Amino acid sequence: MAVLQVVPRFVEGGAEALALSIHQDLLQQGLPSFLLSLAGPPVEVPFCIPLGARHPRSPSAFWLLRRWLKRHGSGVRVIHTHLFPDQLWTPLALKGLAFDPVLITSLHSVTTGRDALPCGGALDRGLYRPYQRLICVSAQVAETCSRRLPDLQSRLQVIPNGVDLAAFRPWQGSAPQDPPRIVVVGRLSAEKNHAFLLRVLAELDEIPLTLGIIGIGPEERRLKALVEHLSLKDKVKFYGYCADITDILSRSDIHVMPTRSEGFGLVAAEAMAAGLPSVVTDLPVLREVLGEEGFSAFFAPLNDRTVFVAQLRRLLLDPALRRTMGNQARKAARKHDRAQMHKAYTDLYRSLGAY
């Protein structure tokens, strides 16, 4: 019996990367696995099937998913969804079909976008009702969900995200005569707070530096206009989507993460594996990943430009401090070894009757 994962698209953010990582690990173990995307382009990985919907939330995504399940789903024992569109469509697409798989889903963030709505709790309870297990990518996500939706507490299970430590080469960084390289990785959306970071850089105009922005998203045009407005064109480069960021991280000097919210902070763990010090928003989940202040990272209150500027300036002007914190980060990254995560998912699928 196989495991089927469903995602909105194959490439977009951390949830999609996690699903692909789990899928590839199952295949390497010789276990049957499928990964469906509701929309978006294909990827060159076996048994990754793009359904071809116009948009993940469009009704066509529901009908294409139902058609696939009707034709091929009888051998699937566990279906694992990850984000709102597939969480919504999958239980509906299974109604009336001749097989009854176990449904599980992942919670990748401490917020759902429905939190602020008067009936947000009821909407989430209805959304998650068909799911036997809710996999939280961090203890912070589990704590938030338990507090907000206490009736779902018995279904929660924490499986922290992990990093392929072997993929990261020892830190190379910039040459002594070159300006330090800062890197930020994440979807170009409002919650990742890139515009705040650009304004931070504008206050460091006396320091030579470069910023590499890795990611795609709806804020790209606005951010490029802001780069022009702040006269940062010579310092900032947009790299777009990168399937493999290990090389970019290994050639950078400082990782930054000004995000407004985060479910786990996988990129922070990847920066640790690459031996980079970080300057990040002071969120409980990022302390969970990075450790205490000054060990592998400096923390700044959300949108506190004064503190963020001061901490970033400190690292930019002190190469020895960057190396000390980077070396500590690389050693501490062992706790985020992806092999542990993969084993936890395989054990979960087996416990639910898939293998």
Side-chain angles (χ1 to χ4, degrees):
M1 300 294 283
V3 167
L4 166 67
Q5 293 184 87
V6 189
V7 290
R9 297 179 175 89
F10 287 132
V11 294
E12 186 82 8
E16 292 84 354
L18 172 66
L20 188 59
S21 172
I22 295 169
H23 173 66
Q24 290 176 306
D25 178 68
L26 293 174
L27 294 181
Q28 288 171 5
Q29 295 183 64
L31 300 174
S33 174
F34 298 93
L35 178 59
L36 302 186
S37 72
L38 300 177
V43 293
E44 294 184 5
V45 177
F47 304 107
C48 285
I49 303 160
L51 295 180
R54 179 179 57 83
H55 190 277
R57 299 192 185 201
S58 71
S60 66
F62 161 77
W63 289 110
L64 289 166
L65 177 60
R66 181 172 173 85
R67 185 174 68 179
W68 191 94
L69 291 169
K70 191 172 183 179
R71 293 178 178 178
H72 309 289
S74 59
V76 171
R77 174 57 183 163
V78 175
I79 299 182
H80 183 176
T81 65
H82 288 268
L83 294 169
F84 175 75
D86 41 283
Q87 290 169 338
L88 173 66
W89 294 136
T90 300
L92 296 174
L94 285 166
K95 287 187 178 298
L97 299 187
F99 64 102
D100 186 25
V102 176
L103 292 180
I104 66 174
T105 194
S106 285
L107 306 183
H108 293 274
S109 176
V110 293
T111 61
T112 68
R114 299 173 291 279
D115 310 69
L117 299 175
C119 56
L123 290 172
D124 278 340
R125 278 189 290 272
L127 180 68
Y128 300 139
R129 185 175 294 118
Y131 292 94
Q132 182 173 319
R133 203 72 60 88
L134 307 178
I135 312 303
C136 303
V137 299
S138 69
Q140 185 64 34
V141 170
E143 180 183 332
T144 302
C145 183
S146 180
R147 184 173 62 250
R148 183 169 171 266
L149 303 169
D151 49 323
L152 299 180
Q153 186 171 3
S154 62
R155 303 191 210 173
L156 301 180
Q157 178 176 345
V158 177
I159 301 181
N161 281 345
V163 175
D164 183 6
L165 300 179
F168 289 87
R169 296 179 295 168
W171 174 82
Q172 296 175 341
S174 58
Q177 67 273 16
D178 293 335
R181 298 169 180 161
I182 304 169
V183 63
V184 59
V185 183
R187 189 167 186 265
L188 304 186
S189 55
E191 69 271 13
K192 298 302 183 182
N193 219 12
H194 292 82
F196 167 81
L197 176 60
L198 294 176
R199 292 186 174 92
V200 165
L201 257 62
E203 295 192 29
L204 295 165
D205 59 338
E206 82 282 7
I207 301 176
L209 60 86
T210 64
L211 171 67
I213 299 178
I214 317 300
I216 57 175
E219 290 277 293
E220 183 170 348
R221 182 177 297 179
R222 174 174 173 258
L223 292 171
K224 288 182 175 178
L226 186 57
V227 166
E228 294 276 359
H229 175 71
L230 296 173
S231 302
L232 293 172
K233 191 174 181 181
D234 293 337
K235 292 186 173 182
V236 177
K237 181 176 180 180
F238 289 82
Y239 286 88
Y241 173 77
C242 296
D244 183 0
I245 63 170
T246 56
D247 185 59
I248 292 173
L249 287 176
S250 73
R251 290 185 288 105
S252 300
D253 297 288
I254 302 169
H255 164 252
V256 291
M257 200 171 189
T259 181
R260 293 189 174 113
S261 68
E262 202 67 38
F264 175 79
L266 181 62
V267 174
E270 290 174 326
M272 293 175 74
L276 297 186
S278 295
V279 180
V280 304
T281 303
D282 193 357
L283 301 176
V285 70
L286 292 181
R287 287 187 178 263
E288 184 182 329
V289 172
L290 290 161
E292 292 302 313
E293 171 79 24
F295 181 74
S296 66
F298 291 127
F299 298 88
L302 176 62
N303 288 333
D304 190 326
R305 202 186 306 174
T306 301
V307 175
F308 211 101
V309 166
Q311 292 171 332
L312 193 51
R313 177 180 279 115
R314 185 177 174 186
L315 282 174
L316 286 166
L317 296 178
D318 193 338
L321 178 62
R322 294 202 300 265
R323 283 300 81 231
T324 297
M325 292 177 66
N327 289 334
Q328 290 172 169
R330 188 167 173 83
K331 292 175 183 176
R334 295 168 189 160
K335 68 181 180 180
H336 302 306
D337 188 353
R338 195 167 71 180
Q340 301 171 34
M341 179 194 77
H342 285 156
K343 182 180 184 303
Y345 278 106
T346 302
D347 290 347
L348 172 62
Y349 298 147
R350 284 199 171 107
S351 73
L352 298 174
Y355 304 125

